[in-house]
Amino acid sequence: MTYRRTASIPLPDHPEYGLSRSTVPTTDTQHEERYLQMIHLPDERGRIDDETGAARMGRGVYELTVREPRELTDHDGTPKPVSPILQRHGPYSRASALARAVELAEALDLPIYTEVARLRPDNWTDSADWVTCPHCNTSEIALVTNLDDAALTLRCRGCDATVTNTEREELFNEWLHCPSCGSGDVDIRLSAPGSGVWWSCDDCLYDTTPAPVDVSYSNTRRQDQ
């Protein structure tokens, strides 16, 4: 499975976890030396925390990776920036990951990269995770023009049900559901030129915006399976 980097988040600075940038070595470059990077996997739930043994059921899990300096490498005929992964540790809760990062940085004499990579698997863009027909429970939904007001709406390919102008509240309460938080406060947009659909949640900001592949992490996960 391919994992894509949908966000780069600043590394938290939490002295209560022992991770204070004034005392822990960090780096803001991926090109000069081997480093430790924290990975956030928001779509993975239910895995067991390696540190505490507790199930992680919340906003995904965290891993720690030991990576070589990034360099341009040919990948499927296209040069891509690749930072090979030497070790993977986890999964952890956020608190466990921060504490473990300090331990590994000291034990391996490595700096911690100042950005956490948020990675999502290929299927994070699946429309079926965002919308279901409340009449027949199918996820085969088409985005169509609503003739009532010339706006876009949804039509079920299974039973032909659709949402009219008078059923606008039903759209958000019964058809739409964010796969991350369950909210129906969801935006739907057509993307050009491929006419795909982009989804985003106004409540938790989960979205399906296209993102670059983390080649090394994707390859490492394939090898571990």
Side-chain angles (χ1 to χ4, degrees):
M1 183 179 289
T2 298
Y3 285 80
R4 294 178 178 271
R5 189 180 70 253
T6 59
S8 294
I9 310 155
L11 182 71
D13 191 357
H14 286 288
E16 64 266 34
Y17 300 133
L19 203 165
S20 173
R21 296 193 196 178
S22 62
T23 58
V24 176
T26 60
T27 180
D28 59 4
T29 178
Q30 296 174 294
H31 301 278
E32 295 178 357
E33 58 183 332
R34 187 174 293 178
Y35 60 95
L36 185 68
Q37 184 177 33
M38 192 167 164
I39 305 289
H40 180 211
L41 302 163
D43 301 282
E44 296 199 20
R45 297 173 175 85
R47 294 172 68 189
I48 303 300
D49 188 315
D50 275 3
E51 290 286 290
T52 66
R56 295 297 307 156
M57 300 300 292
R59 292 281 186 87
V61 299
Y62 291 82
E63 293 182 352
L64 297 171
T65 56
V66 176
R67 311 189 75 150
E68 293 281 23
R70 178 176 288 190
E71 59 182 17
L72 281 178
T73 302
D74 183 271
H75 181 74
D76 295 333
T78 304
K80 291 185 180 297
V82 173
S83 178
I85 292 177
L86 303 177
Q87 299 177 25
R88 276 177 59 227
H89 301 266
Y92 303 116
S93 67
R94 184 172 180 269
S96 293
L98 290 169
R100 183 67 176 136
V102 175
E103 294 174 0
L104 280 174
E106 294 176 350
L108 302 176
D109 192 23
L110 295 176
I112 305 172
Y113 186 54
T114 53
E115 289 185 345
V116 179
R118 176 171 291 160
L119 303 182
R120 289 176 176 159
D122 291 330
N123 58 2
W124 108 93
T125 59
D126 288 353
S127 294
D129 291 340
W130 292 82
V131 59
T132 305
C133 173
H135 303 283
C136 68
N137 207 37
T138 183
S139 299
E140 293 297 319
I141 308 296
L143 194 61
V144 297
T145 300
N146 185 338
L147 298 180
D148 290 345
D149 57 6
L152 290 176
T153 189
L154 302 175
R155 180 179 64 82
C156 175
R157 292 191 177 101
C159 69
D160 243 10
T162 190
V163 182
T164 68
N165 191 43
T166 59
E167 299 167 333
R168 187 63 61 184
E169 195 67 23
E170 178 184 333
L171 174 66
F172 297 100
N173 291 333
E174 299 184 27
W175 290 69
L176 300 174
H177 40 79
C178 169
S180 178
C181 70
S183 171
D185 194 4
V186 170
D187 286 335
I188 316 167
R189 299 182 184 181
L190 283 174
S191 62
S195 297
V197 180
W198 292 355
W199 304 83
S200 62
C201 176
D202 286 341
D203 285 347
C204 72
L205 304 182
Y206 189 89
D207 62 49
T208 63
T209 305
V213 175
D214 188 320
V215 176
S216 294
Y217 185 85
S218 300
N219 291 342
T220 300
R221 285 294 293 261
R222 289 193 196 101
Q223 294 166 6
D224 291 347
Q225 292 173 352

